[in-house]
Amino acid sequence: VLLALQVRLVMKAYSFIRENVPRVLSSVKDKSSTVPVPRISQYLYFLFAPTLIYRDNYPRNPTIRWGYVATKFAQVLGSLFYAYYIFVRLCIPQFHNSSQETFNLRGLVLCIFNSILPGVLILFLVFFAFLHCWLNAFAEMLRFADRMFYK
């Protein structure tokens, strides 16, 4: 989780620098009196907005739909509980039974192959919970209107 957060922050910092350095350098080259430096509030909004492309202004919705936010957070919680249920019912019993026996490669391979399908389902649930529900909830709370993630 920390590694993913750090990668996201590095990508956002790179986008911020890539968009602003050419503007600053061109204003310095033209010897203009004002240097177009973004405000701190624009950078903070960009840090929390679900996008990796920096712009000074993003399209914004006029209001926050709190029912939509609550629904998305409920879907995140439901996905986490369902992933926990799948993990406890389908993955842990496979390895719990094998821990009481002596180690053999055949038993380990069988445990791993019996856990592949539940593992893939958990992976889909985590992707749905984070990429769809979590990011849409924060986009709604920030009134971020540009949500064409899948187009």
Side-chain angles (χ1 to χ4, degrees):
V1 171
L2 289 175
L3 182 63
L5 181 63
Q6 290 298 318
V7 168
R8 181 184 70 90
L9 287 175
V10 166
M11 291 169 69
K12 285 191 175 242
Y14 175 77
S15 176
F16 180 77
I17 290 169
R18 184 178 172 133
E19 290 293 322
N20 287 307
V21 166
R23 287 192 295 175
V24 171
L25 290 178
S26 67
S27 69
V28 168
K29 183 192 248 183
D30 297 338
K31 295 182 174 60
S32 64
S33 61
T34 60
V35 178
V37 178
R39 296 187 315 266
I40 287 290
S41 62
Q42 291 171 326
Y43 181 68
L44 286 176
Y45 183 84
F46 170 64
L47 282 181
F48 291 102
T51 183
L52 291 174
I53 301 169
Y54 177 79
R55 299 286 180 258
D56 287 334
N57 295 313
Y58 295 98
R60 308 278 301 264
N61 289 332
T63 59
I64 299 173
R65 298 174 295 171
W66 290 107
Y68 181 80
V69 172
T71 302
K72 291 301 173 191
F73 280 132
Q75 288 176 351
V76 169
L77 284 175
S79 297
L80 291 177
F81 281 125
Y82 190 48
Y84 173 77
Y85 177 78
I86 290 170
F87 191 72
V88 166
R89 290 291 182 183
L90 299 175
C91 293
I92 290 178
Q94 295 292 326
F95 290 96
H96 183 67
N97 294 336
S98 68
S99 66
Q100 297 169 351
E101 302 170 1
T102 59
F103 177 76
N104 60 2
L105 188 59
R106 181 182 178 273
L108 179 65
V109 170
L110 284 175
C111 285
I112 289 172
F113 278 124
N114 286 335
S115 297
I116 287 175
L117 188 61
V120 168
L121 186 57
I122 289 172
L123 188 64
F124 284 145
L125 282 169
V126 168
F127 277 123
F128 169 75
F130 178 70
L131 293 176
H132 181 72
C133 300
W134 187 265
L135 291 179
N136 269 320
F138 273 93
E140 185 65 33
M141 287 189 296
L142 292 171
R143 298 185 304 138
F144 187 78
D146 188 17
R147 293 193 213 160
M148 297 296 164
F149 295 135
Y150 306 116
K151 288 189 175 182

